[in-house]
């Protein structure tokens, strides 16, 4: 069995954020699978999504899986605000809880680049890939460090959130928490004091993330992924995903997602032309958050990018391989990316 | 200028609700345009939508409009819970505010039938039509009183809300209010004490009701209907729609919508076969709440129903005729209905 580390911490020291604050004793959490080879050219970086954790998509890692740790050294870094990396929930005053400074996706990627170079001495990554907010980090990597990214795969993502996605982050992630009677500007007594808000986030996600027709009578796709009713799906999938999370941590992740922009306020078309990676832009049929037609336009703005559309019943959730068909479709597209 | 009444009140007396309560001194608000002719065969009933009022869709009424008051006697009835008909906001204890009993769409239609027969002596309506929750009432009319409805038009509606629409009513209409710190089980000090919840409803509507692509960069449909930015559209269209409303009244309307079922728990296919009206099922392209593919299936279950799809940039909002093209498309379909 190849080496697999538990979650580890990379010390960033006093870390200068792009938002003008210095985060004292900043920490980047990460986990690895496999071994870095002698030529250091087998490293894959796989950042996680909003509300996720480094190990959130380990379903793609394993000896019989696309990301094979016998072949690749897979680094799973953790976002600032994920509760293990520096976050509102684990940072000392004055930056504790509701006073944690805004971090940007660019800050995450800069911290990840330090991990990759300082800790592991890697000059070039075989692949950077990510789903959703992981894809936003992938774009930031490909634009910011073009000579370090040999291959890149944005899976159901974009360089920047769309106007609809920005509305979504506000209405579905931020407002259910910030309007909760227990919120107290982020200085709640306990994360579960805000459980009403966390559950309402789950309800908003259940409403907006599955593709059209998912709930339709006669289709009822939730049945095929193991749920007994709509209410069962809302509770055991969505509420269960949100309830263990810390509200401030989620807000931190939502705000950095809203602000994501690899051009840093410049011309995104110019920024995307900097990309040197062999880039795959992967979209999911029926994805409301990153619709295929928008992903296709992104791909057209990147030199030599390839566009792939994965047809699925899961829409934005296809990544979770909730059906055997989705798992196969995801595996196939990852194989294409890895062998490009 | 033909006669046009201000909003009037029809006294229903002590009104037995389908939910097992008796509403004392129940009131049905309504407004009329035009005159009932001697043979009493020119009456059109046009119930309103969730959050609406009898006059909400008067854009279709006028001498140069499809519903011409020189020709038709147009009755615009108001839902229980609309703030003028018996509602949480205007009913005496013990049924005041948060203690108002649940009313069903069937109750509204029974009250409207009493208005039509007792007040006006009408045996058969030339047309019953409605948009969204107005369409739910139209279905209830056509099933419950099949011999009284000569023509019917469901505009972007359904006999019952879909599972997705039921989730929507809960997550977008009910929860932002019932979770508001000022909610107090519906015994808030003032409707505007709950303005945070009302605004969040508006945000949820802005997120979920416009069709795909409405906000997309390069499309930005909100521009074509007179808004300067997404934020301007969210504030001046959605928040402005919600803020004048009473929270308990909205909850009453949302709950009756969730429970709507012309078969009253029976077989909806059997119920729809009772319809005698010349029925038009009108769907709007891109409508997420009542998708054309679902409306088409409804039409197929109704004897001799005709299905029409109106192509528009507005999705569910097409009814508001926000563009000249939408106004023309709506007028055309209403002309087909009126002359059927």
């Amino acid at each position: 069995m190849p080496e697999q580390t538990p979650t580890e911490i990379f010390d960033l020291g006093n870390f200068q954020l792009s938002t003008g604050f210095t985060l004292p004793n900043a920490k980047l959490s990460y986990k690895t699978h496999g071994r870095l080879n002698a030529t250091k050219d087998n490293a894959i970086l796989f950042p996680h999504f909003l509300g996720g954790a480094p190990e959130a998509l380990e379903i793609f890692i394993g000896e019989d899986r696309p990301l094979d740790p016998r072949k690749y050294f897979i680094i799973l870094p953790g976002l600032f605000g994920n509760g293990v990396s520096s976050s509102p929930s684990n940072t000392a005053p004055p930056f504790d809880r509701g006073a944690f400074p805004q971090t940007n996706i660019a800050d995450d990627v800069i911290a990840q680049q330090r991990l990759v170079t300082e800790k592991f001495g890697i000059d070039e990554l075989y692949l950077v890939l990510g789903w959703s907010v992981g894809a936003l980090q992938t774009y930031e990597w490909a634009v910011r460090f073009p000579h370090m990214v040999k291959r890149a795969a944005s899976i159901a993502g974009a360089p920047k959130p769309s106007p609809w996605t920005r509305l979504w982050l506000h209405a579905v992630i931020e407002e259910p928490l910030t309007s909760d009677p227990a919120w107290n500007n982020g200085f709640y007594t306990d994360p579960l004091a805000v459980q009403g808000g966390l559950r309402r986030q789950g309800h908003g996600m259940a409403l907006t993330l599955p593709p059209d027709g998912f709930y339709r009578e006669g289709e009822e796709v939730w049945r095929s992924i193991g749920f007994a009713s709509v209410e069962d799906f809302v509770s055991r999938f969505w509420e269960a995903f949100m309830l263990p999370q810390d509200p401030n941590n989620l807000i931190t992740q939502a705000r950095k997602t809203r602000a994501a922009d690899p051009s840093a306020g410049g011309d995104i078309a110019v920024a995307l032309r900097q990309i040197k990676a062999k880039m795959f832009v992967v979209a999911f049929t029926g994805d409301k958050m990153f619709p295929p037609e928008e992903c296709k336009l992104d791909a057209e703005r990147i030199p030599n990018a390839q566009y792939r559309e994965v047809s699925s019943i899961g829409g934005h959730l296809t990544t979770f391989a909730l059906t055997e068909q989705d798992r196969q479709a995801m595996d196939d597209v990852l194989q294409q990316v890895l062998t490009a």
Side-chain angles (χ1 to χ4, degrees), chain A:
Chain A
M1 181 71 186
E3 188 175 327
Q4 177 185 153
T5 65
T7 298
E8 298 193 87
I9 297 293
F10 178 67
D11 282 314
L12 294 158
N14 295 332
F15 187 79
Q16 179 80 43
L17 296 169
S18 62
T19 53
F21 293 92
T22 300
L23 202 54
N25 303 310
K27 314 285 184 194
L28 173 63
S29 68
Y30 68 99
K31 188 176 171 180
T32 66
H33 289 260
R35 286 193 179 83
L36 187 60
N37 63 12
T39 47
K40 298 193 173 187
D41 61 3
N42 72 331
I44 292 175
L45 189 82
F46 191 1
H48 69 74
F49 54 87
L50 195 158
E55 61 275 20
L57 288 173
E58 285 182 335
I59 47 173
F60 297 108
I61 302 171
E63 294 195 8
D64 57 347
R65 307 292 300 125
L67 305 180
D68 187 336
R70 293 171 303 189
K71 191 169 176 186
Y72 302 112
F73 177 57
I74 304 141
I75 308 168
L76 307 173
L79 279 173
F80 288 131
N82 79 343
V84 187
S85 293
S86 292
S87 299
S89 63
N90 66 12
T91 297
F95 289 148
D96 58 320
R97 306 197 285 165
F100 191 76
Q102 175 152 355
T103 59
N104 283 331
I105 294 285
D107 299 314
D108 290 292
V109 167
I110 289 166
Q112 291 166 18
Q113 193 261 1
R114 282 189 49 196
L115 171 72
V116 163
T117 54
E118 296 174 18
K119 171 81 183 177
F120 298 114
I122 296 166
D123 293 329
E124 187 183 52
L125 292 158
Y126 185 87
L127 169 65
V128 179
L129 80 164
W131 171 70
S132 199
V133 174
L136 270 66
Q137 293 166 78
T138 301
Y139 273 106
E140 180 72 36
W141 259 100
V143 169
R144 181 173 287 270
F145 302 115
H147 295 288
M148 288 189 66
V149 184
K150 194 165 185 180
R151 293 172 188 79
S154 161
I155 301 167
K160 297 168 64 164
S162 70
W164 186 86
T165 299
R166 288 198 295 273
L167 264 185
W168 185 90
L169 289 160
H170 184 62
V172 175
I173 302 299
E174 294 189 47
E175 284 201 318
L177 299 176
T178 58
S179 67
D180 192 278
W183 169 245
N184 192 29
N185 291 317
F187 292 90
Y188 38 82
T189 51
D190 183 86
L192 279 179
V194 195
Q195 67 165 297
L198 293 165
R199 288 181 200 270
R200 287 190 294 280
Q201 287 184 317
H203 304 171
M205 288 179 152
L207 184 71
T208 54
L209 287 184
D212 291 341
F214 185 90
Y215 296 105
R216 188 170 296 157
E217 279 174 19
E219 301 192 24
E220 297 176 341
V221 179
W222 43 265
R223 282 192 203 281
S224 67
I225 54 173
F227 295 92
S229 65
V230 172
E231 293 73 16
D232 189 43
F233 175 64
V234 170
S235 299
R236 288 199 299 120
F237 190 90
W238 293 106
E239 293 188 358
F241 173 58
M242 300 316 300
L243 283 170
Q245 313 246 3
D246 178 82
N248 283 313
N249 291 355
L250 287 168
I251 300 267
T252 293
Q253 293 179 64
R255 291 189 178 155
K256 74 171 68 181
T257 303
R258 280 181 86 182
D261 179 4
S263 75
D267 183 332
I268 191 69
V270 171
L272 294 177
R273 283 202 295 272
Q274 309 311 306
I275 294 176
K276 306 288 181 212
K278 290 178 193 169
M279 182 137 191
F280 283 75
V281 177
V282 181
F284 297 149
T285 306
D287 185 346
K288 297 186 186 186
M289 184 148 282
F290 298 103
E293 52 267 59
E294 296 181 15
C295 293
K296 201 151 190 272
L297 291 174
D298 292 332
E300 288 168 4
R301 295 188 293 181
I302 299 165
N304 306 315
Q306 297 192 54
Y307 172 76
R308 293 284 183 281
E309 186 169 330
V310 173
S311 177
S312 157
I313 54 166
H316 192 56
L317 311 176
T318 299
T319 269
F320 293 112
L322 298 172
T323 65
E324 175 57 27
Q325 186 194 334
D326 283 4
R327 196 191 62 81
Q328 193 58 55
M330 286 297 300
D331 285 5
D332 289 349
V333 83
L334 289 179
Q335 284 301 351
Q336 291 176 38
V337 168
L338 286 162
T339 56

